[in-house]
């Protein structure tokens, strides 16, 4: 991530020297909400700092690589990112980038289709790449998202609801969403589909990223995940806003997670 930071700064400086005073090097999701959990998990995991709580329940977040990743991210607001990034969610980041005022953006695949829309200032002028790694760690990490379909056990029309859920999870519906909205399929064979490759060339390149995606720690934390995430993104935001050092914030977070998960 350090090299990517330097590249963003170099391009931003060059653009501003040419009179583009509004350009920023990097926009992302810095608000204190679930999106920041996604972003910060990527920074930490791709820097060799674990994934907050490991699959076996081990709390791993109080890690020197994780702290270094957050300290680097804390240097971005006001340098390669606007100060206001600390209140950005997905659409605020996209708004800056899609008007041509950001070099790099971290976002979800939906932004690819919108970025190539008829009202976009950057249509046909950008590409997509795996997120950078850091601390000498060689593997990128992308937080696993998803569109989950469930049927309530209280439904009075369970047969119809199950039929719809099965259809939405099937190849036909997933291909339609991939073509129309650049949503990533869960069916691996669709990454090799010729129609998808022609209309959404981003998707075939996502196959390896998808297979290496990192899940948020909902499985090991189960019913406590929402509180785990809230503790995490609140702690990360305190580092990004300069209220706490990464070392102190992660040490406190570890204790808070221990109290929560050992109850």
């Amino acid at each position: 991530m350090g090299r990517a930071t330097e590249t963003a700064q170099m391009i931003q400086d060059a653009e501003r020297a040419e009179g583009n005073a509004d350009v920023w090097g990097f926009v992302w999701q810095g608000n204190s909400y679930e999106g920041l959990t996604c972003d910060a998990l990527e920074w930490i995991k791709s820097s060799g700092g674990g994934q907050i709580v490991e699959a076996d329940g081990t709390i791993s977040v109080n890690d020197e690589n994780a702290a270094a990743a957050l300290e680097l991210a804390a240097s971005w607001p006001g340098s390669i990112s606007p100060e206001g990034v600390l209140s950005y969610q997905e659409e605020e980041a996209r708004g800056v980038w899609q008007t041509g005022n950001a070099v790099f953006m971290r976002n979800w695949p939906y932004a690819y289709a919108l970025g190539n829309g008829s009202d976009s200032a950057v249509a046909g002028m950008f590409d997509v790449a795996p997120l950078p790694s850091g601390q000498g760690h060689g593997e990128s990490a992308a937080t696993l998202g998803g569109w989950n379909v469930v049927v309530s056990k209280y439904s009075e029309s369970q047969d119809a609801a199950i039929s719809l859920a099965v259809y939405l999870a099937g190849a036909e519906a997933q291909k339609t969403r991939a073509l129309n909205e650049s949503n990533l399929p869960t069916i691996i064979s669709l990454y090799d589909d010729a129609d998808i490759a022609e209309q959404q060339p981003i998707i075939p390149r996502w196959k390896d990223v998808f297979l290496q995606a990192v899940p948020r720690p909902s499985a090991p934390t189960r019913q406590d995940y929402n509180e785990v995430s809230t503790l995490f993104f609140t702690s990360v935001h305190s580092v990004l806003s300069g209220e706490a050092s990464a070392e102190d914030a992660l040490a406190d977070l570890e204790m808070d997670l221990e109290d929560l998960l050992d109850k």
Side-chain angles (χ1 to χ4, degrees), residues 78-93:
S79 60
I80 61 170
S81 305
E83 294 281 0
V85 76
L86 296 180
S87 64
Y88 280 16
Q89 296 189 14
E90 285 82 356
E91 285 299 273
E92 288 80 11

Side-chain angles (χ1 to χ4, degrees), residues 120-184:
S120 172
V122 297
M125 300 170 61
F126 66 91
D127 208 338
V128 177
L131 292 163
S133 58
Q135 314 304 321
H137 193 66
E139 294 184 3
S140 176
T143 298
L144 184 65
W147 298 94
N148 300 316
V149 179
V150 300
V151 175
S152 171
K153 68 179 181 179
Y154 302 108
S155 171
E156 296 180 358
S157 304
Q158 285 205 359
D159 289 344
I162 290 170
S163 178
L164 175 61
V166 170
Y167 170 74
L168 291 174
E172 180 182 357
Q174 289 206 39
K175 179 172 179 176
T176 298
R177 290 199 299 275
L179 291 172
N180 294 339
E181 301 160 30
S182 67
N183 283 352
L184 299 182

Side-chain angles (χ1 to χ4, degrees), residues 84-252:
V85 76
L86 296 180
S87 64
Y88 280 16
Q89 296 189 14
E90 285 82 356
E91 285 299 273
E92 288 80 11
R94 187 175 69 86
V96 174
W97 174 81
Q98 195 166 309
T99 55
N101 288 320
V103 180
F104 299 119
M105 173 180 66
R106 184 269 177 211
N107 217 316
W108 301 100
Y110 84 100
Y112 181 85
L114 294 176
N116 277 318
S118 60
D119 62 344
S120 172
V122 297
M125 300 170 61
F126 66 91
D127 208 338
V128 177
L131 292 163
S133 58
Q135 314 304 321
H137 193 66
E139 294 184 3
S140 176
T143 298
L144 184 65
W147 298 94
N148 300 316
V149 179
V150 300
V151 175
S152 171
K153 68 179 181 179
Y154 302 108
S155 171
E156 296 180 358
S157 304
Q158 285 205 359
D159 289 344
I162 290 170
S163 178
L164 175 61
V166 170
Y167 170 74
L168 291 174
E172 180 182 357
Q174 289 206 39
K175 179 172 179 176
T176 298
R177 290 199 299 275
L179 291 172
N180 294 339
E181 301 160 30
S182 67
N183 283 352
L184 299 182
T186 63
I187 299 172
I188 295 178
S189 62
L190 291 177
Y191 286 86
D192 301 315
D193 182 277
D195 296 331
I196 292 176
E198 180 180 1
Q199 189 165 323
Q200 298 288 2
I202 180 182
I203 290 180
R205 299 208 310 277
W206 221 276
K207 185 175 181 178
D208 290 338
V209 175
F210 181 73
L211 292 174
Q212 298 177 27
V214 56
R216 283 161 277 184
S218 57
T221 61
R222 299 172 64 85
Q223 70 275 6
D224 293 315
Y225 173 73
N226 284 342
E227 192 166 354
V228 168
S229 182
T230 299
L231 289 170
F232 178 66
F233 67 63
T234 301
S235 179
V236 171
H237 198 270
S238 73
V239 177
L240 299 177
S241 62
E243 297 175 11
S245 70
E247 183 179 356
D248 290 344
L250 294 182
D252 290 344

